[in-house]
Amino acid sequence: MPDTPRPDTSRRLAGLAHRVDAATPPGRDRALDALRALAILGVVLGHWLVTALVADSGTLHVESPLGHLPELTPVSWVFQTLAAFFLVGGLVAARGHAAARARGERDSTWIAARLRRLFRPVVPLLAVWLVATLGMLAAGVPWQTVYTLGKLVLSPLWFLLVLAALTAATPLVARVHPLWPLAVVVHVDLIRFGFDGPDALGWLNLPAGWLVPYCLGALVARGGPLTRAASWTLLLGGATVTGLLVAFAGYPGSMVGVPGAPVSNLNPPTLAAVTFGLAQCGGALLLLGPLRRVLRKPVAWAGVALLNLCAMTVFLWHQTAMIAVTTGGLLAAGRLGHGPLTGLHTVPDTPVWILARLGWLPVFAGALLLCLAAFHTYERVSRTGRRKPAPVATAPAVRRPDTRIEVRRA
């Protein structure tokens, strides 16, 4: 009797998509997960495209193509997606906190659970890089290179610290109108740039600037969706104000940091970054309807859901993946007698570098998949130590007897 043929790959993928779709609670807002996934992808691709580790005199240092090719500045507008992430974060946190209070859960319990979920995947990253740093120093790697690599890995963690602070403050800020932190940003920049105030004053904008989209998300959570007119006003008004600030007030055009630039829109956030973020939030809110329609298809939703299951691991390890490919390529090129590889170790000052870097992106992605295979488990471990699927949205947990896939609340 002949063996029953195994289903091919496409059928397996279709089956997985339908199982994920069947396990998703009916009330889940899939569009929020899609916005979060797009924000994570924007951060990852943005870092991979605008960060060059240049080999020079036996050391590695960071340069950006935006510093050499300013005509590429609009690229930073596409890949600077943090405002959308904070918008979704505020919306999800406000809903989750309201639901916790309705269950009679204490604020401290709710905050502790969310912070554990946020920081647990950071532990293996820090452990691996502590060992790697000691190993590099013991092997005689120049401290400038060690510092450069460590900074690349650790600098994105500022995002987690800000998100953690805003999450912990959710019981206090969930009802704060976004105009209040926006007013703080306006006054800080006015003093800092208009009256030559101290640069240190700008760090007040680190919480205030990201409170704007976070509080906007909380406002949507408690008041319902904004009207299309309001969303268009955010999009067009924010874009117009940002353009005016860049054109006439001396703000940088890039919405990401550029090494060597006298002023950064992100470090700390400026008014231009905040108004750009409001425009981005307006666009994100306008996308919710179309995204909901697209994500009714099981295949589309499965991709979004699976990315959200490993979103924190992707964020934490994407720089490590790029560094692994870059340093590995440098060692391999040296052993083969080749010079630095274009798009990987060379100065990003020509269009050829851009084309070459695009060719390296699949290699970075492959290295990131290896990191996911090794470390995603830390994103899935529950408080009791049992492995569970990581959170990807806002609806309550649902178990179905016909599937082994469970989608839990964020």
Side-chain angles (χ1 to χ4, degrees):
M1 185 175 181
D3 294 334
T4 302
R6 295 181 179 180
D8 59 19
T9 302
S10 62
R11 289 178 60 189
R12 291 177 181 178
L13 292 177
L16 174 63
H18 283 285
R19 291 198 300 274
V20 172
D21 186 66
T24 303
R28 186 190 209 94
D29 193 341
R30 302 181 179 194
L32 294 181
D33 293 301
L35 288 179
R36 180 163 28 196
L38 289 172
I40 289 291
L41 289 177
V43 170
V44 171
L45 291 176
H47 282 161
W48 285 354
L49 286 171
V50 303
T51 305
L53 278 169
V54 177
D56 183 24
S57 303
T59 65
L60 291 174
H61 65 276
V62 174
E63 293 196 32
S64 171
L66 299 177
H68 295 277
L69 302 168
E71 61 271 20
L72 296 178
T73 294
V75 171
S76 69
W77 308 342
V78 176
F79 294 107
Q80 208 293 70
T81 52
L82 289 175
F85 197 99
F86 280 106
L87 173 76
V88 174
L91 199 160
V92 170
R95 286 181 178 174
H97 177 250
R101 280 196 168 176
R103 296 191 302 267
E105 187 174 320
R106 296 175 59 182
D107 288 349
S108 58
T109 303
W110 178 81
I111 292 170
R114 293 188 71 88
L115 293 186
R116 277 195 300 269
R117 184 185 299 166
L118 188 63
F119 284 112
R120 187 186 299 115
V122 179
V123 175
L125 178 77
L126 297 179
V128 167
W129 273 96
L130 175 60
V131 173
T133 299
L134 295 176
M136 285 187 289
L137 292 175
V141 175
W143 69 267
Q144 297 96 329
T145 295
V146 176
Y147 173 79
T148 295
L149 299 183
K151 185 178 180 182
L152 268 182
V153 171
L154 297 179
S155 57
L157 297 186
W158 72 263
F159 163 79
L160 293 185
L161 295 176
V162 174
L163 183 59
L166 296 185
T167 299
T170 297
L172 300 176
V173 304
R175 293 190 172 275
V176 172
H177 197 282
L179 287 178
W180 287 107
L182 178 60
V184 172
V185 174
V186 170
H187 285 84
V188 165
D189 272 23
L190 182 63
I191 296 172
R192 183 183 172 198
F193 298 123
F195 295 96
D196 199 23
D199 287 340
L201 186 66
W203 290 106
L204 290 175
N205 284 352
L206 186 58
W210 299 118
L211 262 174
V212 174
Y214 194 86
C215 289
L216 179 61
L219 177 66
V220 173
R222 68 176 184 268
L226 296 183
T227 64
R228 287 184 61 82
S231 298
W232 276 109
T233 299
L234 282 174
L235 173 60
L236 299 179
T240 299
V241 173
T242 303
L244 293 174
L245 290 172
V246 171
F248 301 107
Y251 284 85
S254 174
M255 291 300 154
V256 299
V258 179
V263 177
S264 168
N265 275 322
L266 282 188
N267 192 31
T270 64
L271 179 59
V274 174
T275 57
F276 175 81
L278 287 173
Q280 189 176 98
C281 289
L285 292 171
L286 289 169
L287 279 176
L288 288 176
L291 285 173
R292 290 183 184 117
R293 291 191 290 273
V294 170
L295 294 174
R296 291 171 187 163
K297 300 178 181 178
V299 173
W301 166 237
V304 170
L306 293 175
L307 178 56
N308 272 272
L309 287 172
C310 58
M312 190 58 64
T313 309
V314 168
F315 175 78
L316 290 173
W317 290 92
H318 73 280
Q319 293 285 61
T320 299
M322 182 189 71
I323 289 170
V325 172
T326 303
T327 55
L330 187 61
L331 292 174
R335 289 184 178 181
L336 295 174
H338 296 296
L341 301 175
T342 303
L344 207 57
H345 318 116
T346 54
V347 177
D349 56 357
T350 65
V352 173
W353 186 95
I354 301 297
L355 294 175
R357 174 51 64 103
L358 291 174
W360 285 107
L361 293 186
V363 186
F364 295 164
L368 181 56
L369 287 176
L370 294 177
C371 293
L372 286 176
F375 299 106
H376 173 48
T377 183
Y378 295 95
E379 193 171 354
R380 300 173 58 233
V381 178
S382 72
R383 180 173 56 182
T384 60
R386 293 178 300 169
R387 293 182 183 180
K388 290 185 178 182
V392 294
T394 60
V398 169
R399 282 190 185 272
R400 296 177 182 260
D402 60 340
T403 180
R404 297 174 60 187
I405 298 176
E406 180 185 354
V407 183
R408 301 194 294 115
R409 172 177 27 193

